[in-house]
Amino acid sequence: MATHTIPERVATFREEYRRKYVGARYSGRAHFAFTSVGSLAAIGFSLSRLEAVRPLEWLTVPAVFLLGNVVEFLGHRGPMHHRRRGLRLLFQRHTEQHHRFFTHEALAYESARDVKMVLFPPVLLLFFLGAIATPLAALSFALVSPNVGWLFAASAVGYYLTYEWLHFCHHLPPEHPVARLPLMARLRRHHQTHHDPSKMQRYNFNITVPLSDWLFGTTWRPAAPSGVDHPELPRPRAELEP
Ligand SMILES: [Zn+2]
Ligand SMILES: [Zn+2]
């Protein structure tokens, strides 16, 4: 339970969102379990199909990781923050809801029911597995080798799960032991800065490892010479209400 002060506009939005969209039967724990168990089952099944993997075939894993990092970045900087034909739902859920439910001043859940506003809906895991990971894995299976196909599937789902788990952790209360681990605290600060409405359209789009932010030059620095951002530190209490 968060004890931090929540700005009034965020508190109002949260109340309204919970009333309208979080049904009485919704369970944050079940949502988290479905995402985790569903993904782990798909990963386990794919790995169980591997046979005598050659050293070069293992390169599929880092290659999918890099690809995943760029896709995460482009998807977040693009349709999640800009209205795009056919992808309006992503914009709505992310910019209009996730970013209003959580800001840099109020980044943490208040209860397990707030998990609904962080994890992708279960149907998206099924869509991701069926419509994206499976065809691409099948293509690698047919064009390169069966091992590369299965490694592709396992890594892609592994990346999806890493994204979900890390984003889930970024929104834990800051005093939670997991949120306080040094690496997690660093990644959390990266995401917290992105949740500042004045920075969300331009900085810190990676949720996992901020590799693409570094590659594309979108990592926010306190002294970024943008001319529009205030040069304050990206710490929660350094930000004041306008
Ligand atoms: Zn977030
Ligand atoms: Zn965002």
Side-chain angles (χ1 to χ4, degrees), residues 13-53:
F13 181 82
R14 287 184 175 188
E15 268 165 41
E16 201 185 301
Y17 180 86
R18 289 176 188 131
R19 192 161 30 81
K20 266 202 209 150
Y21 299 107
V22 188
R25 287 169 54 215
Y26 175 78
S27 154
R29 287 182 182 87
H31 190 173
F32 185 86
F34 178 86
T35 300
S36 306
V37 174
S39 303
L40 290 172
I43 295 168
F45 179 76
S46 304
L47 294 180
S48 75
R49 306 274 96 190
L50 295 175
E51 272 172 39
V53 183

mmCIF file of all heavy atoms in Angstrom, residues 13-53:
data_model
loop_
_atom_site.group_PDB
_atom_site.id
_atom_site.type_symbol
_atom_site.label_atom_id
_atom_site.label_comp_id
_atom_site.label_asym_id
_atom_site.label_seq_id
_atom_site.Cartn_x
_atom_site.Cartn_y
_atom_site.Cartn_z
ATOM 1 N N PHE A 13 -8.214 10.663 -11.474
ATOM 2 C CA PHE A 13 -8.188 9.795 -12.649
ATOM 3 C C PHE A 13 -8.215 8.328 -12.223
ATOM 4 O O PHE A 13 -8.931 7.518 -12.802
ATOM 5 C CB PHE A 13 -6.944 10.063 -13.510
ATOM 6 C CG PHE A 13 -6.916 9.193 -14.737
ATOM 7 C CD1 PHE A 13 -7.646 9.539 -15.862
ATOM 8 C CD2 PHE A 13 -6.183 8.010 -14.755
ATOM 9 C CE1 PHE A 13 -7.650 8.723 -16.990
ATOM 10 C CE2 PHE A 13 -6.194 7.180 -15.875
ATOM 11 C CZ PHE A 13 -6.912 7.546 -16.995
ATOM 12 N N ARG A 14 -7.445 7.980 -11.178
ATOM 13 C CA ARG A 14 -7.397 6.591 -10.712
ATOM 14 C C ARG A 14 -8.776 6.108 -10.270
ATOM 15 O O ARG A 14 -9.210 5.017 -10.631
ATOM 16 C CB ARG A 14 -6.399 6.457 -9.545
ATOM 17 C CG ARG A 14 -4.961 6.541 -10.012
ATOM 18 C CD ARG A 14 -3.978 6.307 -8.881
ATOM 19 N NE ARG A 14 -2.613 6.285 -9.396
ATOM 20 C CZ ARG A 14 -1.543 5.948 -8.695
ATOM 21 N NH1 ARG A 14 -1.682 5.608 -7.434
ATOM 22 N NH2 ARG A 14 -0.334 5.942 -9.243
ATOM 23 N N GLU A 15 -9.450 6.952 -9.493
ATOM 24 C CA GLU A 15 -10.777 6.554 -9.007
ATOM 25 C C GLU A 15 -11.722 6.295 -10.159
ATOM 26 O O GLU A 15 -12.447 5.308 -10.193
ATOM 27 C CB GLU A 15 -11.363 7.675 -8.143
ATOM 28 C CG GLU A 15 -11.051 7.504 -6.676
ATOM 29 C CD GLU A 15 -11.310 8.786 -5.907
ATOM 30 O OE1 GLU A 15 -12.332 9.447 -6.182
ATOM 31 O OE2 GLU A 15 -10.463 9.138 -5.054
ATOM 32 N N GLU A 16 -11.674 7.193 -11.144
ATOM 33 C CA GLU A 16 -12.576 7.081 -12.279
ATOM 34 C C GLU A 16 -12.248 5.836 -13.097
ATOM 35 O O GLU A 16 -13.146 5.089 -13.504
ATOM 36 C CB GLU A 16 -12.393 8.337 -13.137
ATOM 37 C CG GLU A 16 -13.557 8.626 -14.036
ATOM 38 C CD GLU A 16 -13.224 9.813 -14.923
ATOM 39 O OE1 GLU A 16 -12.942 10.888 -14.350
ATOM 40 O OE2 GLU A 16 -13.197 9.647 -16.154
ATOM 41 N N TYR A 17 -10.949 5.595 -13.329
ATOM 42 C CA TYR A 17 -10.526 4.438 -14.117
ATOM 43 C C TYR A 17 -10.952 3.138 -13.432
ATOM 44 O O TYR A 17 -11.508 2.239 -14.061
ATOM 45 C CB TYR A 17 -9.007 4.452 -14.325
ATOM 46 C CG TYR A 17 -8.535 3.269 -15.135
ATOM 47 C CD1 TYR A 17 -8.523 3.307 -16.529
ATOM 48 C CD2 TYR A 17 -8.148 2.088 -14.505
ATOM 49 C CE1 TYR A 17 -8.129 2.212 -17.276
ATOM 50 C CE2 TYR A 17 -7.749 0.977 -15.246
ATOM 51 C CZ TYR A 17 -7.739 1.046 -16.618
ATOM 52 O OH TYR A 17 -7.359 -0.051 -17.354
ATOM 53 N N ARG A 18 -10.704 3.064 -12.124
ATOM 54 C CA ARG A 18 -11.052 1.837 -11.395
ATOM 55 C C ARG A 18 -12.552 1.576 -11.484
ATOM 56 O O ARG A 18 -12.991 0.446 -11.669
ATOM 57 C CB ARG A 18 -10.636 1.964 -9.930
ATOM 58 C CG ARG A 18 -9.119 1.928 -9.743
ATOM 59 C CD ARG A 18 -8.775 2.158 -8.288
ATOM 60 N NE ARG A 18 -7.359 2.329 -8.059
ATOM 61 C CZ ARG A 18 -6.843 3.322 -7.340
ATOM 62 N NH1 ARG A 18 -7.633 4.235 -6.789
ATOM 63 N NH2 ARG A 18 -5.537 3.407 -7.165
ATOM 64 N N ARG A 19 -13.326 2.662 -11.340
ATOM 65 C CA ARG A 19 -14.782 2.516 -11.361
ATOM 66 C C ARG A 19 -15.255 2.040 -12.734
ATOM 67 O O ARG A 19 -16.073 1.154 -12.854
ATOM 68 C CB ARG A 19 -15.412 3.863 -10.995
ATOM 69 C CG ARG A 19 -16.880 3.807 -10.690
ATOM 70 C CD ARG A 19 -17.375 5.023 -9.892
ATOM 71 N NE ARG A 19 -16.643 6.259 -10.132
ATOM 72 C CZ ARG A 19 -16.848 7.069 -11.172
ATOM 73 N NH1 ARG A 19 -17.772 6.775 -12.059
ATOM 74 N NH2 ARG A 19 -16.138 8.175 -11.309
ATOM 75 N N LYS A 20 -14.680 2.612 -13.786
ATOM 76 C CA LYS A 20 -15.146 2.316 -15.139
ATOM 77 C C LYS A 20 -14.585 1.016 -15.713
ATOM 78 O O LYS A 20 -15.267 0.311 -16.441
ATOM 79 C CB LYS A 20 -14.694 3.453 -16.073
ATOM 80 C CG LYS A 20 -15.713 4.549 -16.264
ATOM 81 C CD LYS A 20 -15.393 5.264 -17.561
ATOM 82 C CE LYS A 20 -15.795 6.695 -17.586
ATOM 83 N NZ LYS A 20 -14.973 7.536 -18.423
ATOM 84 N N TYR A 21 -13.315 0.731 -15.451
ATOM 85 C CA TYR A 21 -12.653 -0.352 -16.189
ATOM 86 C C TYR A 21 -12.210 -1.563 -15.382
ATOM 87 O O TYR A 21 -11.872 -2.583 -15.966
ATOM 88 C CB TYR A 21 -11.422 0.202 -16.935
ATOM 89 C CG TYR A 21 -11.757 1.248 -17.948
ATOM 90 C CD1 TYR A 21 -11.453 2.585 -17.718
ATOM 91 C CD2 TYR A 21 -12.389 0.908 -19.150
ATOM 92 C CE1 TYR A 21 -11.757 3.559 -18.656
ATOM 93 C CE2 TYR A 21 -12.698 1.868 -20.091
ATOM 94 C CZ TYR A 21 -12.377 3.200 -19.834
ATOM 95 O OH TYR A 21 -12.689 4.155 -20.764
ATOM 96 N N VAL A 22 -12.114 -1.446 -14.067
ATOM 97 C CA VAL A 22 -11.645 -2.609 -13.300
ATOM 98 C C VAL A 22 -12.850 -3.288 -12.665
ATOM 99 O O VAL A 22 -13.385 -2.822 -11.663
ATOM 100 C CB VAL A 22 -10.610 -2.198 -12.225
ATOM 101 C CG1 VAL A 22 -9.991 -3.434 -11.587
ATOM 102 C CG2 VAL A 22 -9.524 -1.325 -12.833
ATOM 103 N N GLY A 23 -13.305 -4.390 -13.294
ATOM 104 C CA GLY A 23 -14.506 -5.084 -12.835
ATOM 105 C C GLY A 23 -14.301 -5.721 -11.468
ATOM 106 O O GLY A 23 -13.166 -5.931 -11.036
ATOM 107 N N ALA A 24 -15.418 -6.043 -10.816
ATOM 108 C CA ALA A 24 -15.361 -6.604 -9.464
ATOM 109 C C ALA A 24 -14.609 -7.925 -9.473
ATOM 110 O O ALA A 24 -13.999 -8.318 -8.472
ATOM 111 C CB ALA A 24 -16.781 -6.804 -8.933
ATOM 112 N N ARG A 25 -14.655 -8.636 -10.606
ATOM 113 C CA ARG A 25 -14.029 -9.967 -10.637
ATOM 114 C C ARG A 25 -12.567 -9.915 -11.050
ATOM 115 O O ARG A 25 -11.906 -10.941 -11.116
ATOM 116 C CB ARG A 25 -14.824 -10.878 -11.578
ATOM 117 C CG ARG A 25 -16.160 -11.299 -10.954
ATOM 118 C CD ARG A 25 -17.079 -11.982 -11.953
ATOM 119 N NE ARG A 25 -16.434 -13.119 -12.610
ATOM 120 C CZ ARG A 25 -16.645 -13.459 -13.869
ATOM 121 N NH1 ARG A 25 -17.474 -12.754 -14.607
ATOM 122 N NH2 ARG A 25 -16.029 -14.499 -14.401
ATOM 123 N N TYR A 26 -12.060 -8.714 -11.366
ATOM 124 C CA TYR A 26 -10.661 -8.613 -11.798
ATOM 125 C C TYR A 26 -9.708 -8.953 -10.641
ATOM 126 O O TYR A 26 -9.902 -8.499 -9.514
ATOM 127 C CB TYR A 26 -10.335 -7.208 -12.314
ATOM 128 C CG TYR A 26 -8.865 -7.067 -12.643
ATOM 129 C CD1 TYR A 26 -8.353 -7.582 -13.826
ATOM 130 C CD2 TYR A 26 -7.967 -6.481 -11.744
ATOM 131 C CE1 TYR A 26 -6.997 -7.508 -14.115
ATOM 132 C CE2 TYR A 26 -6.605 -6.400 -12.018
ATOM 133 C CZ TYR A 26 -6.133 -6.918 -13.210
ATOM 134 O OH TYR A 26 -4.792 -6.847 -13.486
ATOM 135 N N SER A 27 -8.679 -9.752 -10.943
ATOM 136 C CA SER A 27 -7.659 -10.061 -9.926
ATOM 137 C C SER A 27 -6.281 -9.788 -10.518
ATOM 138 O O SER A 27 -5.898 -10.380 -11.529
ATOM 139 C CB SER A 27 -7.776 -11.534 -9.504
ATOM 140 O OG SER A 27 -6.521 -11.989 -9.028
ATOM 141 N N GLY A 28 -5.550 -8.879 -9.890
ATOM 142 C CA GLY A 28 -4.201 -8.547 -10.354
ATOM 143 C C GLY A 28 -3.272 -9.750 -10.251
ATOM 144 O O GLY A 28 -2.420 -9.963 -11.106
ATOM 145 N N ARG A 29 -3.487 -10.553 -9.218
ATOM 146 C CA ARG A 29 -2.628 -11.736 -9.034
ATOM 147 C C ARG A 29 -2.866 -12.750 -10.141
ATOM 148 O O ARG A 29 -1.929 -13.340 -10.682
ATOM 149 C CB ARG A 29 -2.887 -12.362 -7.659
ATOM 150 C CG ARG A 29 -2.308 -11.511 -6.551
ATOM 151 C CD ARG A 29 -2.497 -12.090 -5.159
ATOM 152 N NE ARG A 29 -1.951 -11.154 -4.187
ATOM 153 C CZ ARG A 29 -2.627 -10.150 -3.662
ATOM 154 N NH1 ARG A 29 -3.889 -9.954 -3.995
ATOM 155 N NH2 ARG A 29 -2.054 -9.325 -2.804
ATOM 156 N N ALA A 30 -4.142 -12.948 -10.502
ATOM 157 C CA ALA A 30 -4.463 -13.906 -11.574
ATOM 158 C C ALA A 30 -3.899 -13.394 -12.906
ATOM 159 O O ALA A 30 -3.387 -14.171 -13.711
ATOM 160 C CB ALA A 30 -5.975 -14.098 -11.667
ATOM 161 N N HIS A 31 -3.973 -12.091 -13.119
ATOM 162 C CA HIS A 31 -3.456 -11.481 -14.352
ATOM 163 C C HIS A 31 -1.940 -11.708 -14.443
ATOM 164 O O HIS A 31 -1.421 -12.143 -15.472
ATOM 165 C CB HIS A 31 -3.783 -9.977 -14.316
ATOM 166 C CG HIS A 31 -3.543 -9.256 -15.597
ATOM 167 N ND1 HIS A 31 -3.904 -7.953 -15.778
ATOM 168 C CD2 HIS A 31 -2.963 -9.646 -16.767
ATOM 169 C CE1 HIS A 31 -3.567 -7.572 -17.001
ATOM 170 N NE2 HIS A 31 -2.977 -8.578 -17.619
ATOM 171 N N PHE A 32 -1.257 -11.460 -13.343
ATOM 172 C CA PHE A 32 0.194 -11.650 -13.296
ATOM 173 C C PHE A 32 0.533 -13.134 -13.516
ATOM 174 O O PHE A 32 1.450 -13.474 -14.261
ATOM 175 C CB PHE A 32 0.735 -11.172 -11.943
ATOM 176 C CG PHE A 32 2.233 -11.226 -11.848
ATOM 177 C CD1 PHE A 32 3.001 -10.165 -12.303
ATOM 178 C CD2 PHE A 32 2.871 -12.345 -11.334
ATOM 179 C CE1 PHE A 32 4.390 -10.211 -12.231
ATOM 180 C CE2 PHE A 32 4.263 -12.402 -11.264
ATOM 181 C CZ PHE A 32 5.026 -11.330 -11.711
ATOM 182 N N ALA A 33 -0.242 -14.019 -12.865
ATOM 183 C CA ALA A 33 0.013 -15.465 -12.981
ATOM 184 C C ALA A 33 -0.224 -15.930 -14.423
ATOM 185 O O ALA A 33 0.569 -16.697 -14.972
ATOM 186 C CB ALA A 33 -0.885 -16.232 -12.015
ATOM 187 N N PHE A 34 -1.289 -15.445 -15.065
ATOM 188 C CA PHE A 34 -1.586 -15.861 -16.441
ATOM 189 C C PHE A 34 -0.444 -15.460 -17.374
ATOM 190 O O PHE A 34 0.032 -16.265 -18.170
ATOM 191 C CB PHE A 34 -2.899 -15.219 -16.917
ATOM 192 C CG PHE A 34 -3.237 -15.578 -18.344
ATOM 193 C CD1 PHE A 34 -3.943 -16.753 -18.619
ATOM 194 C CD2 PHE A 34 -2.835 -14.775 -19.400
ATOM 195 C CE1 PHE A 34 -4.230 -17.109 -19.940
ATOM 196 C CE2 PHE A 34 -3.126 -15.122 -20.722
ATOM 197 C CZ PHE A 34 -3.826 -16.293 -20.980
ATOM 198 N N THR A 35 -0.002 -14.197 -17.246
ATOM 199 C CA THR A 35 1.088 -13.710 -18.094
ATOM 200 C C THR A 35 2.347 -14.551 -17.869
ATOM 201 O O THR A 35 3.010 -14.971 -18.818
ATOM 202 C CB THR A 35 1.382 -12.230 -17.752
ATOM 203 O OG1 THR A 35 0.194 -11.478 -18.006
ATOM 204 C CG2 THR A 35 2.518 -11.666 -18.577
ATOM 205 N N SER A 36 2.673 -14.806 -16.598
ATOM 206 C CA SER A 36 3.908 -15.520 -16.271
ATOM 207 C C SER A 36 3.834 -16.986 -16.682
ATOM 208 O O SER A 36 4.725 -17.493 -17.381
ATOM 209 C CB SER A 36 4.198 -15.438 -14.774
ATOM 210 O OG SER A 36 4.207 -14.089 -14.374
ATOM 211 N N VAL A 37 2.768 -17.676 -16.258
ATOM 212 C CA VAL A 37 2.669 -19.115 -16.533
ATOM 213 C C VAL A 37 2.500 -19.359 -18.037
ATOM 214 O O VAL A 37 3.144 -20.242 -18.613
ATOM 215 C CB VAL A 37 1.504 -19.740 -15.724
ATOM 216 C CG1 VAL A 37 1.294 -21.197 -16.111
ATOM 217 C CG2 VAL A 37 1.787 -19.618 -14.233
ATOM 218 N N GLY A 38 1.667 -18.533 -18.699
ATOM 219 C CA GLY A 38 1.463 -18.689 -20.144
ATOM 220 C C GLY A 38 2.775 -18.534 -20.894
ATOM 221 O O GLY A 38 3.119 -19.346 -21.762
ATOM 222 N N SER A 39 3.534 -17.499 -20.554
ATOM 223 C CA SER A 39 4.799 -17.256 -21.251
ATOM 224 C C SER A 39 5.805 -18.358 -20.937
ATOM 225 O O SER A 39 6.467 -18.882 -21.842
ATOM 226 C CB SER A 39 5.406 -15.916 -20.820
ATOM 227 O OG SER A 39 4.504 -14.877 -21.061
ATOM 228 N N LEU A 40 5.921 -18.719 -19.644
ATOM 229 C CA LEU A 40 6.901 -19.749 -19.268
ATOM 230 C C LEU A 40 6.572 -21.092 -19.921
ATOM 231 O O LEU A 40 7.480 -21.828 -20.332
ATOM 232 C CB LEU A 40 6.973 -19.895 -17.742
ATOM 233 C CG LEU A 40 7.623 -18.695 -17.022
ATOM 234 C CD1 LEU A 40 7.488 -18.833 -15.504
ATOM 235 C CD2 LEU A 40 9.104 -18.563 -17.397
ATOM 236 N N ALA A 41 5.286 -21.399 -20.059
ATOM 237 C CA ALA A 41 4.901 -22.659 -20.703
ATOM 238 C C ALA A 41 5.335 -22.633 -22.169
ATOM 239 O O ALA A 41 5.884 -23.617 -22.687
ATOM 240 C CB ALA A 41 3.388 -22.865 -20.595
ATOM 241 N N ALA A 42 5.112 -21.501 -22.851
ATOM 242 C CA ALA A 42 5.502 -21.399 -24.264
ATOM 243 C C ALA A 42 7.028 -21.502 -24.397
ATOM 244 O O ALA A 42 7.542 -22.158 -25.312
ATOM 245 C CB ALA A 42 5.001 -20.082 -24.853
ATOM 246 N N ILE A 43 7.752 -20.879 -23.469
ATOM 247 C CA ILE A 43 9.226 -20.936 -23.516
ATOM 248 C C ILE A 43 9.689 -22.377 -23.271
ATOM 249 O O ILE A 43 10.521 -22.918 -24.010
ATOM 250 C CB ILE A 43 9.841 -19.993 -22.453
ATOM 251 C CG1 ILE A 43 9.507 -18.536 -22.786
ATOM 252 C CG2 ILE A 43 11.359 -20.185 -22.349
ATOM 253 C CD1 ILE A 43 9.806 -17.551 -21.667
ATOM 254 N N GLY A 44 9.129 -23.006 -22.237
ATOM 255 C CA GLY A 44 9.512 -24.387 -21.887
ATOM 256 C C GLY A 44 9.240 -25.343 -23.037
ATOM 257 O O GLY A 44 10.092 -26.173 -23.384
ATOM 258 N N PHE A 45 8.071 -25.192 -23.667
ATOM 259 C CA PHE A 45 7.733 -26.080 -24.777
ATOM 260 C C PHE A 45 8.724 -25.891 -25.930
ATOM 261 O O PHE A 45 9.243 -26.866 -26.482
ATOM 262 C CB PHE A 45 6.298 -25.809 -25.269
ATOM 263 C CG PHE A 45 5.918 -26.682 -26.425
ATOM 264 C CD1 PHE A 45 5.598 -28.018 -26.212
ATOM 265 C CD2 PHE A 45 5.904 -26.188 -27.723
ATOM 266 C CE1 PHE A 45 5.265 -28.853 -27.285
ATOM 267 C CE2 PHE A 45 5.577 -27.009 -28.797
ATOM 268 C CZ PHE A 45 5.253 -28.343 -28.576
ATOM 269 N N SER A 46 9.029 -24.633 -26.265
ATOM 270 C CA SER A 46 9.952 -24.371 -27.376
ATOM 271 C C SER A 46 11.331 -24.956 -27.079
ATOM 272 O O SER A 46 11.957 -25.573 -27.945
ATOM 273 C CB SER A 46 10.091 -22.868 -27.618
ATOM 274 O OG SER A 46 8.824 -22.306 -27.832
ATOM 275 N N LEU A 47 11.808 -24.766 -25.844
ATOM 276 C CA LEU A 47 13.142 -25.272 -25.498
ATOM 277 C C LEU A 47 13.187 -26.800 -25.518
ATOM 278 O O LEU A 47 14.209 -27.401 -25.853
ATOM 279 C CB LEU A 47 13.576 -24.748 -24.123
ATOM 280 C CG LEU A 47 13.799 -23.226 -24.034
ATOM 281 C CD1 LEU A 47 14.218 -22.827 -22.628
ATOM 282 C CD2 LEU A 47 14.860 -22.762 -25.046
ATOM 283 N N SER A 48 12.054 -27.430 -25.187
ATOM 284 C CA SER A 48 12.034 -28.898 -25.151
ATOM 285 C C SER A 48 12.142 -29.501 -26.561
ATOM 286 O O SER A 48 12.388 -30.687 -26.719
ATOM 287 C CB SER A 48 10.754 -29.390 -24.478
ATOM 288 O OG SER A 48 9.663 -29.238 -25.368
ATOM 289 N N ARG A 49 11.909 -28.683 -27.581
ATOM 290 C CA ARG A 49 11.981 -29.163 -28.972
ATOM 291 C C ARG A 49 13.398 -29.114 -29.549
ATOM 292 O O ARG A 49 13.628 -29.580 -30.648
ATOM 293 C CB ARG A 49 11.089 -28.307 -29.888
ATOM 294 C CG ARG A 49 9.663 -28.177 -29.472
ATOM 295 C CD ARG A 49 8.821 -29.314 -29.972
ATOM 296 N NE ARG A 49 8.696 -30.315 -28.934
ATOM 297 C CZ ARG A 49 8.178 -31.526 -29.126
ATOM 298 N NH1 ARG A 49 7.764 -31.887 -30.302
ATOM 299 N NH2 ARG A 49 8.087 -32.368 -28.129
ATOM 300 N N LEU A 50 14.320 -28.463 -28.841
ATOM 301 C CA LEU A 50 15.680 -28.290 -29.384
ATOM 302 C C LEU A 50 16.410 -29.630 -29.452
ATOM 303 O O LEU A 50 16.252 -30.476 -28.586
ATOM 304 C CB LEU A 50 16.485 -27.328 -28.504
ATOM 305 C CG LEU A 50 15.996 -25.883 -28.434
ATOM 306 C CD1 LEU A 50 16.827 -25.101 -27.422
ATOM 307 C CD2 LEU A 50 16.086 -25.220 -29.808
ATOM 308 N N GLU A 51 17.228 -29.773 -30.502
ATOM 309 C CA GLU A 51 18.022 -30.998 -30.636
ATOM 310 C C GLU A 51 19.414 -30.640 -31.111
ATOM 311 O O GLU A 51 19.557 -30.026 -32.171
ATOM 312 C CB GLU A 51 17.369 -31.929 -31.659
ATOM 313 C CG GLU A 51 16.333 -32.846 -31.043
ATOM 314 C CD GLU A 51 15.563 -33.608 -32.116
ATOM 315 O OE1 GLU A 51 16.185 -34.024 -33.110
ATOM 316 O OE2 GLU A 51 14.338 -33.738 -31.947
ATOM 317 N N ALA A 52 20.418 -31.023 -30.358
ATOM 318 C CA ALA A 52 21.835 -30.813 -30.726
ATOM 319 C C ALA A 52 22.070 -29.442 -31.370
ATOM 320 O O ALA A 52 22.423 -29.342 -32.551
ATOM 321 C CB ALA A 52 22.295 -31.919 -31.658
ATOM 322 N N VAL A 53 21.851 -28.397 -30.591
ATOM 323 C CA VAL A 53 21.982 -27.030 -31.114
ATOM 324 C C VAL A 53 23.451 -26.745 -31.456
ATOM 325 O O VAL A 53 24.349 -27.010 -30.654
ATOM 326 C CB VAL A 53 21.488 -26.009 -30.067
ATOM 327 C CG1 VAL A 53 21.543 -24.591 -30.621
ATOM 328 C CG2 VAL A 53 20.077 -26.346 -29.623
#
